[in-house]
Amino acid sequence: MKSNKNIVSALLLSVCFLILGTACTKLDDRVYSEIVASKYEPTPLDGLAKIGSAYTPYKGLMVRMLLGMNWDNDQCFCPVKPWGWTYPYQLFNHNYNSTSPEVDGPWNSCYSGITACNRTISELQQDTETDNTDLIKELEALRSSYYYWLCDLYGNVAWSDTYYGDSTYLPKQIRRDSLAMKVEKGLLDAAPYLYTEVSKKTYGRFTKWADYALLAKLYLNWGVFVYGDGDKGRWQECLNYCDSIINSGNFGLTSTQKEIFSVKNDFSREAIFAVVFDEKMAKGLSLFETNMNGQHVDTYQKTGSGWANGGSIMVPQFIDTFDPDDSRLRSNHIYGPQYDHLGNLMKCGLGSIAGEDFVILNEVLSCEGSSGDNCTENMGYRLGKWEYEMGLDGSNMNNDVFPLRYADVLMMKAECLLRLNKADEAAEIVTSVRRRSFTSASEKATVTGAQLLEGSCYAYGVKECIPKRGKYPKDNDGNWIYTMSNPGDIDAGGEDIVFGRFLDELGWEFEQEAFHRRDDLIRFKTTQGEPVWTAKSWSSHKATHNMDKILYPIMMKELQANPNLKQNKGYE
């Protein structure tokens, strides 16, 4: 348990937290009209106790986003391995459908949160002896945040802002553009009533600054949500809310990026909205289990139940975009020779390379494969942005998660300035964010407006080793022979991405934080006017050129449970 949690944070942690499993485990059930049962008895004097259960589902949402929903982009993926993982490539290749595993996780968590908000609001409204206006408004803002993620991921979803207490009630579906407008109204209406104080008292609460940050994010993606066009964001309004947060003086950049993701990262000065995790009182953050190999159990002297399955890895083409002097390359990834806790070089234990030195390489042959040789145990940099501590419980890490943080606000402002033809001003902000990651080569921290207007350095295009007669081919020097897109193909290279260098900057700062990359790839376009999300290939992911893939499908079980729901376009 973290030593610097005060009693208020401990109270928030103790309010009926769900016990969460790995990415392969169902976290919570679909809920429309039933609140997740709370074991905590609120008291009239304890406002936090009254509303704590409405925050609980954010834990499941964060875990789902950081694990399974992080496998769909050009940075992270989960190839088939010698020991399994035979389905996540559906996400990576954008072949998901209404029965695909992982796709329903955020839906479940968001609706659990929405129902908890509606139920608690109803209870507070019935309490005529206490003025609960501020608590109700906090819950309305929190509810809007759950709906924001539904709008982002699924678009056309069921809407309800009332608790009916009737298990037969089925909410009506709302269109994505209308939902975005309702989210906006909910955030705007709640803002005047929310905490402006930033302290241990408000840590983990949805404050006015969290409200403003989410409004900024909504306006940044407004064109996508409302018009299906990333060029139509409400840039000036986004910029204005970013300025309100910046000018408040309540937040700042940490001296190193790693501080934000360290084990003892609670009360970080970058935290605008925090989702609290703790190995004893707020369990469920299981990144170690999905991101690390079984050998790392010894390296970190892992405790607790569970294991480490080495599923998630980085896309090699993304790793190749880093400047060698960028400290984020070294601090956010685990690669090279791997040692046990005594300093001994460990061995690979599975598949065709069992017994060889365990040295992690920036190489992956393919996302799919029948033998597992497509991605052997030593292939692919491991995800290490959230710090793994010695003796950790890999199922229940101590790091808090920040879906809204200060660097995000700075970079949203920079993007707005860039799109408003103020590239030099944008470059000053980007430089301020880069500076902490280039301390050993400070001259490289500076970026110019002209550079931000350039294309991306990402070498997009298919890069896949295709087996022949069951073997993956090598040349005479022992190098793998890859099938690659031709340099002139529309799906290859990044030079044709508008503001591509800025997209690179977003990638370097926010990689592994699943609340960013998908949105960015959808919002940014090529010179042909197509979102990067559908226009480009990477590794064994081939460009879909299918705009329907901008939204995830609604799961079949949801369609069957609620006849008011209609499937998103392009899915059955």
Side-chain angles (χ1 to χ4, degrees):
M1 176 177 161
K2 299 176 188 179
S3 60
N4 58 347
K5 288 283 192 289
N6 71 351
I7 189 169
V8 175
S9 294
L11 181 60
L12 178 61
L13 294 172
S14 66
V15 183
C16 183
F17 280 124
L18 299 176
I19 305 301
L20 303 174
T22 67
C24 300
T25 303
K26 188 175 181 67
L27 296 175
D28 47 42
D29 294 327
R30 176 186 60 83
V31 180
Y32 283 130
S33 57
E34 296 180 2
I35 189 172
V36 176
S38 175
K39 297 179 181 178
Y40 189 91
E41 293 295 331
T43 65
L45 299 178
D46 195 346
L48 182 55
K50 294 180 181 180
I51 66 174
S53 63
Y55 282 90
T56 297
Y58 244 105
K59 292 171 67 264
L61 177 60
M62 293 298 98
V63 172
R64 283 299 194 185
M65 294 286 282
L66 290 172
L67 296 179
M69 303 306 286
N70 210 16
W71 295 333
D72 64 357
N73 59 62
D74 63 348
Q75 296 178 336
C76 306
F77 64 144
C78 184
V80 174
K81 301 294 182 66
W83 55 93
W85 292 106
T86 57
Y87 65 88
Y89 63 81
Q90 288 183 328
L91 279 169
F92 185 64
N93 291 335
H94 296 182
N95 289 332
Y96 32 77
N97 55 51
S98 61
T99 61
S100 296
E102 307 298 344
V103 172
D104 63 336
W107 177 288
N108 295 337
S109 296
C110 285
Y111 275 112
S112 292
I114 290 165
T115 304
C117 288
N118 288 343
R119 167 89 177 249
T120 310
I121 288 171
S122 176
E123 293 173 346
L124 292 172
Q125 289 172 336
Q126 294 173 33
D127 177 10
T128 58
E129 297 181 0
T130 308
D131 183 3
N132 291 314
T133 302
D134 290 354
L135 291 178
I136 290 172
K137 290 300 183 182
E138 182 177 344
L139 288 169
E140 290 177 353
L142 185 66
R143 180 179 63 198
S144 294
S145 75
Y146 285 121
Y147 272 122
Y148 173 89
W149 299 114
L150 289 171
C151 182
D152 178 8
L153 298 171
Y154 307 99
N156 311 293
V157 304
W159 168 267
S160 176
D161 59 358
T162 305
Y163 179 73
Y164 290 90
D166 181 355
S167 61
T168 63
Y169 169 71
L170 296 174
K172 303 292 186 182
Q173 191 169 27
I174 187 172
R175 286 183 10 171
R176 192 186 201 191
D177 55 350
S178 298
L179 179 57
M181 295 174 188
K182 283 185 175 292
V183 170
E184 177 190 26
K185 185 177 187 304
L187 294 173
L188 289 173
D189 289 349
Y193 300 88
L194 302 178
Y195 278 113
T196 58
E197 176 186 350
V198 177
S199 66
K200 293 182 179 181
K201 173 184 175 182
T202 61
Y203 187 75
R205 304 282 291 270
F206 206 85
T207 66
K208 180 178 180 179
W209 311 116
D211 186 286
Y212 280 7
L214 194 60
L215 272 169
K217 192 174 287 286
L218 176 67
Y219 292 144
L220 189 75
N221 292 294
W222 190 264
V224 174
F225 294 172
V226 176
Y227 304 109
D229 185 344
D231 291 338
K232 295 182 178 179
R234 292 165 65 174
W235 315 122
Q236 188 59 53
E237 288 159 289
C238 175
L239 193 155
N240 292 343
Y241 278 103
C242 290
D243 274 342
S244 294
I245 296 168
I246 294 167
N247 294 335
S248 74
N250 288 316
F251 309 96
L253 292 173
T254 55
S255 58
T256 66
Q257 192 204 60
K258 197 64 180 179
E259 294 175 43
I260 309 164
F261 305 95
S262 66
V263 175
K264 300 184 184 303
N265 66 344
D266 37 319
F267 313 116
S268 168
R269 61 198 302 245
E270 276 212 31
I272 295 178
F273 178 49
V275 180
V276 178
F277 287 91
D278 183 276
E279 66 178 336
K280 291 184 173 64
M281 299 178 65
K283 298 182 177 183
L285 188 63
S286 54
L287 301 183
F288 180 89
E289 292 190 346
T290 302
N291 295 344
M292 303 301 284
N293 275 48
Q295 294 93 323
H296 293 116
V297 169
D298 181 275
T299 303
Y300 293 94
Q301 293 290 278
K302 176 186 174 299
T303 61
S305 60
W307 58 314
N309 52 43
S312 299
I313 59 176
M314 303 301 299
V315 175
Q317 285 151 291
F318 171 66
I319 293 296
D320 287 339
T321 67
F322 277 90
D323 186 300
D325 290 318
D326 189 337
S327 65
R328 293 171 294 193
L329 173 62
R330 301 184 299 277
S331 63
N332 293 340
H333 311 101
I334 295 171
Y335 57 94
Q338 300 299 294
Y339 301 94
D340 64 20
H341 72 286
L342 297 175
N344 302 309
L345 181 62
M346 297 187 291
K347 301 292 184 181
C348 296
L350 297 170
S352 61
I353 62 169
E356 295 182 13
D357 289 344
F358 187 21
V359 181
I360 296 177
L361 309 174
N362 185 37
E363 194 150 33
V364 177
L365 304 186
S366 176
C367 194
E368 301 177 53
S370 58
S371 67
D373 283 344
N374 58 292
C375 186
T376 53
E377 199 171 11
N378 63 340
M379 289 185 178
Y381 282 22
R382 304 305 192 262
L383 284 65
K385 196 167 192 177
W386 275 266
E387 181 187 10
Y388 307 122
E389 62 180 318
M390 289 296 294
L392 85 169
D393 180 340
S395 304
N396 304 296
M397 294 166 58
N398 279 316
N399 321 59
D400 293 346
V401 174
F402 309 136
L404 299 169
R405 64 180 177 95
Y406 187 62
D408 196 5
V409 171
L410 293 177
M411 294 298 273
M412 285 194 289
K413 178 177 179 178
E415 181 175 339
C416 292
L417 289 169
L418 188 63
R419 293 181 183 274
L420 292 170
N421 300 314
K422 299 178 180 179
D424 290 340
E425 293 181 44
E428 293 179 8
I429 296 175
V430 174
T431 297
S432 72
V433 175
R434 286 173 58 86
R435 192 168 288 124
R436 63 182 174 185
S437 299
F438 285 91
T439 55
S440 64
S442 58
E443 70 282 357
K444 291 186 176 182
T446 302
V447 63
T448 67
Q451 288 175 317
L452 294 182
L453 296 173
E454 296 174 355
S456 168
C457 70
Y458 197 119
Y460 285 102
V462 172
K463 184 180 180 182
E464 184 175 22
C465 188
I466 307 296
K468 297 180 180 179
R469 294 186 294 276
K471 299 290 185 180
Y472 290 88
K474 291 184 176 181
D475 62 22
N476 293 333
D477 295 323
N479 300 311
W480 301 108
I481 300 174
Y482 287 94
T483 298
M484 304 176 68
S485 298
N486 293 323
D489 289 351
I490 192 171
D491 70 319
E495 298 85 357
D496 61 336
I497 296 176
V498 181
F499 307 130
R501 170 59 190 271
F502 186 80
L503 179 61
D504 292 342
E505 295 291 347
L506 294 175
W508 296 323
E509 179 62 24
F510 300 113
E511 55 140 331
Q512 303 178 38
E513 298 175 63
F515 337 109
H516 291 274
R517 191 59 173 179
R518 174 181 164 275
D519 286 353
D520 296 341
L521 295 180
I522 291 171
R523 194 170 63 252
F524 282 75
K525 296 180 178 180
T526 68
T527 53
Q528 299 298 312
E530 185 177 0
V532 178
W533 180 257
T534 63
K536 293 296 182 181
S537 301
W538 49 85
S539 188
S540 54
H541 167 90
K542 297 174 178 62
T544 66
H545 303 294
N546 182 354
M547 293 293 287
D548 294 340
K549 294 298 183 179
I550 286 177
L551 289 176
Y552 288 114
I554 299 173
M555 297 303 288
M556 181 60 67
K557 65 179 183 178
E558 306 299 339
L559 298 172
Q560 294 170 343
N562 184 356
N564 293 325
L565 292 174
K566 304 301 178 186
Q567 183 59 277
N568 286 330
K569 182 183 175 185
Y571 301 101
E572 296 181 356

